[in-house]
Amino acid sequence: MMYDPIAHLLLTPVDKEAPTRVRRLRRLGIGLHPDHAFDAFADRLAEVTAAPYSMVNFIDENRQFFAGLHTPDRTGTGSTGTGGTGTGGELTSAAAAESAACRYMARDHGYCPHVVVRRKALVLEDVCDYPRFAGNPVVDEIGIRSYLGAPLIDRTGIALGTVCVVDVEPRPWGRSGLETIKAMAAELIEQIHRREDGGI
């Protein structure tokens, strides 16, 4: 079998921290279900960046889960208070099941797994400009053309996942976009820490 350098570039990075991350996510009680607060955060992230899609994404050994999600056809349940929420803001079981089904993505799709392994923000103004990323399945299957994401590194030093925005058109995110996504990631980590400490 011949070595193909292009195919090698497209491989999803090895994630040695995944088992430790999963244990930490389970202790925090996040990463398995849609979350009202994370949906609200995704809504605000989309508004701040003027992006059509935004996510709060947690990653295990095999897949990604968008615990917070904003899409053009519907905002997350956070800011609207609709979309199948009960009086306490929690998703009803039927709505939660439907919502969760569209929130999973394979680990070899998209760019968040690269951000988690690199532990650094990633700015792709046009994914087609980067051979390593242009062949990702989300380009052809979903039409993603630009990406901006930052890792969620918690107080234990574990990269839990990412906050990210994507667009179907190239976007000049620039340095301001990079600073924005990093600041939003830091803000969400503080929210997660307050939740762990019983503050929210």
Side-chain angles (χ1 to χ4, degrees), residues 38-170:
F38 294 154
D39 276 338
F41 190 90
D43 288 344
R44 192 159 63 84
L45 180 58
E47 182 179 356
V48 167
T49 59
Y53 301 90
S54 65
M55 287 77 75
V56 175
N57 186 12
F58 299 109
I59 303 173
D60 65 21
E61 296 101 323
N62 303 307
R63 60 188 182 179
Q64 307 172 66
F65 181 72
F66 306 129
L69 178 65
H70 173 95
T71 64
D73 56 334
R74 65 178 176 81
T75 59
T77 60
S79 64
T80 63
T82 60
T85 59
T87 56
E90 295 299 321
L91 289 170
T92 63
S93 58
E98 179 181 359
S99 179
C102 69
R103 292 176 184 246
Y104 286 105
M105 181 178 283
R107 197 177 157 272
D108 62 351
H109 283 52
Y111 309 108
C112 290
H114 293 270
V115 172
V116 165
V117 171
R118 290 162 33 113
R119 302 172 63 85
K120 291 174 21 178
L122 178 63
V123 181
L124 301 173
E125 297 188 341
D126 186 342
V127 298
C128 295
D129 289 340
Y130 303 89
R132 180 182 185 117
F133 301 114
N136 194 282
V138 297
V139 177
D140 292 330
E141 295 177 16
I142 306 175
I144 299 303
R145 284 293 301 274
S146 59
Y147 172 91
L148 178 66
L152 294 167
I153 300 176
D154 79 346
R155 64 179 69 166
T156 70
I158 296 172
L160 302 175
T162 69
V163 291
C164 69
V165 294
V166 297
D167 203 334
V168 295
E169 301 290 341

